[in-house]
Amino acid sequence: MKKIIKNGTIVTASDTYQADVLIENGVITQIGKNLTLNDTEVVDATGHYVFPGGVDPHTHLEMPFGGTVTKDDFETGTIAAAFGGTTTIIDFCLTNKGEPLKDAIETWHAKSSEKAVIDYGFHLMIGEVNDAVLAELPSVIDNEGITSFKVFMAYKNVLQADDETLFQTLIAAKELGALVMVHAENGDVIDHLVKKALKEGNTDPIYHALTRPPEIEGEATERAATFTGLANSQLYVVHVTCAEAVSKIAEARDNGIDIWGETCPQYLMLDQTYLERENFEGAKYVWSPPLREKWNQDVLWTALKTGQLHTIGSDQCSFDFVGQKDLGKGDFSKIPNGGPMIEDRVSILFSEGVTKGRISLNQFVDITSTRAAKLFGLYPRKGTIAVGADADIVIFDPMIERTISVDTHHMAVDYNAFEGMKITGEPVSVLSRGEFVVRDKRFVGKLGAGQYIKRAKYGENYRTDNRTYTI
């Protein structure tokens, strides 16, 4: 059935205005005042914001790591994302050295195709560069629509690539029209510091942070930016945590390097002291890069406001506290790295950003949706409310007050990193391509309804032959 969302306040990255939205066949076909049409369902959004669906550019669903697999898969993870106001995710497809890239891509399709309730795409990890890998990359882009490549500068002997691999990936990405992403930490230095800490008997979760100091995040960020400039390529730095990394991104941008920065809600709201909690509770907050000293939060908020950082990803990578995180009891280096963030990403940025005056309402939409859609080849199909765009829409109540808790979240994991945090604002209803996934805070979606999206090349807008976009 056709739908009209009436009486809401539409908010995009550039505009805020009162209007109705007509949805036909999953697409926005008209925006205007007092719209009426026969045989059309009317959805009343009085007193609510009407946002474009969130785009989460950084998730790890059903991902193997540290001898276990993340607790949330494409079913529970995308359901939680939808409750949180996210209608598109881009998940990381991990590759194995010596194996064809297509094998990894097929594995990720198998994980997701029958489970996802919202739309999704993939980033592709590049762990090595050789003739076989280079020969596959054009097909990865043209046939799979995977236009972003991830290079790990950390996790020595597991995921880490060397500098030559990063540099060659940047060169290839420039030629092919892809965006290179980096996990920017110096894995070699971390490996040395971890071995030293364990040798000295320092095994508690706090040493995860102390062996990954901010200086080595800054160093790796600068190194990646330098390589990007040499290759005349483009770079996206994931999960930026600290002043050292922010300053290197800002400096590189001032020097004309095409570099973008992402942070995450956990770095905006939590700090290093959480890893000091007793009874191994600190393990709940072990992820990489680690939480930093609290003063870095102000640096990150300022960077979002001033445009030195550009997006917010969840880095969703959930492991149960009991049965998974406790694999690292007595050895912090064996604690699976990651936390559950996908559901609270949008609401935290609204509550702590917009309602507290740190960012504007339009910046909020840009940071949670539009900028990621533009950077990763989804815009303007995703990331905005405009004629021709997918009807990915969040009806958001800005006045609701609630307390985040494991007792009420929709993720499969057994704890919430933001437990007890009081926030203002919550998605009430969420539509993906015109169909309700969440309605009046109840799940009404269907498993497998989410579509795999082939994305445009870096710097290009998403286009189809049969759709007209009005921006």
Side-chain angles (χ1 to χ4, degrees):
M1 181 179 288
K2 301 171 185 177
K3 298 180 180 68
I4 295 178
I5 300 175
K6 297 186 70 69
N7 307 318
T9 300
I10 296 172
V11 186
T12 68
S14 57
D15 299 295
T16 304
Y17 58 98
Q18 297 276 332
D20 302 336
V21 180
L22 175 62
I23 300 168
E24 300 178 88
N25 299 317
V27 175
I28 298 170
T29 57
Q30 192 174 347
I31 300 173
K33 294 288 185 70
N34 303 314
L35 297 182
T36 58
L37 194 69
N38 292 332
D39 300 321
T40 302
E41 178 184 2
V42 175
V43 180
D44 186 12
T46 300
H48 294 71
Y49 289 128
V50 179
F51 295 138
V55 177
D56 188 343
H58 191 158
T59 69
H60 302 282
L61 302 179
E62 199 176 326
M63 185 192 80
F65 185 90
T68 186
V69 178
T70 54
K71 185 63 182 283
D72 283 287
D73 62 8
F74 278 84
E75 176 181 338
T76 62
T78 58
I79 289 172
F83 272 100
T86 292
T87 55
T88 305
I89 64 167
I90 313 179
D91 201 74
F92 285 93
C93 175
L94 300 187
T95 58
N96 295 313
K97 291 182 179 180
E99 297 181 8
L101 301 177
K102 67 179 181 62
D103 289 359
I105 296 169
E106 289 172 359
T107 296
W108 251 254
H109 279 305
K111 293 175 187 281
S112 55
S113 62
E114 300 299 322
K115 293 181 178 180
V117 304
I118 57 174
D119 291 350
Y120 60 97
F122 300 145
H123 308 294
L124 184 66
M125 170 192 163
I126 303 295
E128 61 181 345
V129 173
N130 52 42
D131 290 344
V133 169
L134 292 173
E136 272 197 272
L137 290 182
S139 174
V140 167
I141 292 173
D142 296 334
N143 297 336
E144 291 289 341
I146 296 175
T147 54
S148 46
F149 304 143
K150 172 73 172 291
V151 178
F152 286 89
M153 302 173 76
Y155 301 116
K156 187 173 182 177
N157 301 320
V158 182
L159 299 173
Q160 183 177 331
D162 59 26
D163 286 350
E164 182 182 6
T165 295
L166 173 56
F167 189 54
Q168 286 190 273
T169 302
L170 286 161
I171 293 171
K174 179 64 177 180
E175 295 172 351
L176 297 172
L179 180 59
V180 177
M181 314 169 76
V182 289
H183 175 138
E185 289 185 288
N186 190 313
D188 293 320
V189 174
I190 291 169
D191 186 62
H192 172 79
L193 293 175
V194 168
K195 289 176 179 176
K196 181 175 182 292
L198 293 174
K199 185 177 180 180
E200 294 172 351
N202 298 317
T203 62
D204 292 339
I206 185 59
Y207 287 95
H208 174 77
L210 298 179
T211 56
R212 306 178 88 106
E215 290 85 355
I216 61 173
E217 182 181 343
E219 181 276 331
T221 302
E222 181 178 36
R223 181 158 37 103
T226 299
F227 295 163
T228 303
L230 286 171
N232 190 28
S233 191
Q234 46 274 343
L235 184 73
Y236 179 97
V237 184
V238 301
H239 49 42
V240 173
T241 74
C242 59
E244 287 83 352
V246 169
S247 65
K248 297 305 180 183
I249 291 171
E251 180 181 327
R253 289 178 66 83
D254 287 345
N255 290 332
I257 295 173
D258 191 358
I259 182 172
W260 305 87
E262 164 201 285
T263 192
C264 308
Q266 53 270 36
Y267 302 117
L268 295 169
M269 300 307 303
L270 309 176
D271 64 76
Q272 185 173 299
T273 61
Y274 282 75
L275 283 88
E276 299 174 347
R277 293 189 170 185
E278 297 180 347
N279 301 317
F280 200 63
E281 289 279 328
K284 293 178 178 179
Y285 306 93
V286 167
W287 43 72
S288 298
L291 293 173
R292 304 299 187 188
E293 292 182 358
K294 190 174 180 64
W295 61 268
N296 285 280
Q297 294 173 7
D298 289 338
V299 174
L300 297 176
W301 281 112
T302 299
L304 286 172
K305 185 174 183 63
T306 59
Q308 294 174 324
L309 293 177
H310 312 92
T311 65
I312 183 165
S314 67
D315 195 7
Q316 166 74 17
C317 191
S318 60
F319 297 98
D320 276 340
F321 178 57
V322 177
Q324 291 185 297
K325 288 284 189 179
D326 53 12
L327 293 171
K329 277 190 174 180
D331 183 347
F332 70 88
S333 69
K334 294 180 181 178
I335 300 171
N337 282 209
M341 315 294 174
I342 201 168
E343 187 165 352
D344 300 307
R345 179 184 73 104
V346 171
S347 291
I348 284 177
L349 197 70
F350 180 86
S351 183
E352 297 298 318
V354 177
T355 67
K356 294 189 177 180
R358 291 173 166 132
I359 57 173
S360 72
L361 192 58
N362 303 110
Q363 284 181 310
F364 160 81
V365 171
D366 191 44
I367 292 164
T368 59
S369 179
T370 309
R371 182 58 53 183
K374 289 180 175 180
L375 287 172
F376 294 107
L378 293 165
Y379 184 86
R381 179 178 177 180
K382 308 288 188 184
T384 193
I385 294 177
V387 171
D390 282 357
D392 293 352
I393 292 174
V394 177
I395 301 174
F396 190 93
D397 188 335
M399 304 306 294
I400 290 179
E401 295 182 352
R402 67 184 180 93
T403 301
I404 297 175
S405 176
V406 65
D407 296 330
T408 52
H409 76 201
H410 300 86
M411 295 175 284
V413 68
D414 65 0
Y415 76 100
N416 192 299
F418 306 105
E419 185 72 33
M421 183 180 297
K422 299 182 186 304
I423 62 172
T424 301
E426 181 181 23
V428 174
S429 296
V430 177
L431 297 91
S432 172
R433 285 176 284 102
E435 298 297 325
F436 283 102
V437 183
V438 174
R439 185 160 196 172
D440 297 326
K441 296 196 264 188
R442 292 183 299 107
F443 178 68
V444 294
K446 296 179 181 178
L447 297 185
Q451 292 183 358
Y452 174 75
I453 306 296
K454 296 181 179 181
R455 297 179 285 118
K457 293 182 179 181
Y458 177 71
E460 297 180 4
N461 281 351
Y462 184 97
R463 285 286 180 258
T464 63
D465 294 335
N466 60 355
R467 192 182 296 191
T468 300
Y469 295 93
T470 301
I471 300 299

